Amino acid sequence: MSSPEHKQKIWSLIKDIKTGMMTTRHGEELRSRPMVLVQDEYDGVLWFYTDLESEKVFELESDNDVCISFADPDDHVYVSLTGVGRAIQDKTLIDKYWNPFVAAWFPDGKDAPNVGMIEIKVVKGEHWNSDSSKMLKSVKTAKAKMKGEQPDLGEHEKFGLDK
């Protein structure tokens, strides 16, 4: 797990990206789909709305290991988080995070029987953050190659279990 400071770091990297690609296992295949964050803070758990009758929910029931990745190529920020996912129907959470964007996906409203939440408890992850432009990266890479070193292209950190 990570410290409160590190959780704030992760949140600072993903909060403006909002949409992550969640990967689940469908039999022997891996499947990814976009999921939109609904929370306004991060404490080691990510929350997303879902249709409780969707394939991703059935996939989580048979294998609850998930990976969700966030990318902002314009700002050179990349985050991959691995955790345990589950679908729940918690009216308190549904009410707490409900908004007009979510309502567009659920035309029968928040009290419809298929409205639920996906909870991902993050156990490990990795992030990259480089504020360098492509040109600066190219220069750093060329200099490092000439010196026989690896280029410093920004921050990269692994955290959690089995770093």
Side-chain angles (χ1 to χ4, degrees), residues 10-148:
I10 294 299
W11 184 244
S12 74
L13 295 171
I14 67 173
K15 70 179 180 180
D16 292 330
I17 299 172
K18 288 279 190 221
T19 302
M21 292 296 290
M22 183 178 80
T23 303
T24 56
R25 187 171 296 282
H26 180 81
E28 294 299 313
E29 296 177 7
L30 296 175
R31 298 180 72 188
S32 297
R33 80 277 293 149
M35 300 293 290
V36 179
L37 286 169
V38 295
Q39 65 214 66
D40 51 14
E41 60 187 359
Y42 172 69
D43 65 356
V45 177
L46 300 173
W47 293 103
F48 306 92
Y49 279 91
T50 191
D51 181 332
L52 292 172
E53 298 172 6
S54 66
E55 273 192 271
K56 65 184 161 291
V57 171
F58 299 117
E59 292 165 0
L60 286 172
E61 288 172 354
S62 64
D63 185 342
N64 62 1
D65 290 331
V66 298
C67 180
I68 186 154
S69 339
F70 297 87
D72 182 349
D74 292 336
D75 285 335
H76 315 287
V77 172
Y78 304 90
V79 180
S80 176
L81 303 171
T82 301
V84 177
R86 70 179 181 131
I88 61 171
Q89 192 170 39
D90 180 319
K91 291 295 185 190
T92 302
L93 288 172
I94 290 168
D95 288 343
K96 178 179 180 178
Y97 296 124
W98 192 260
N99 62 58
F101 176 80
V102 174
W105 287 96
F106 296 97
D108 293 332
K110 63 183 172 181
D111 295 320
N114 65 317
V115 177
M117 305 288 293
I118 289 181
E119 171 193 58
I120 299 176
K121 291 183 179 179
V122 175
V123 295
K124 63 182 176 178
E126 195 165 0
H127 58 87
W128 299 261
N129 186 4
S130 172
D131 56 4
S132 300
S133 68
K134 287 181 182 179
M135 180 178 282
L136 185 54
K137 285 182 186 177
S138 295
V139 170
K140 286 181 176 182
T141 301
K143 282 175 132 179
K145 187 174 183 178
M146 290 177 9
K147 293 180 180 181

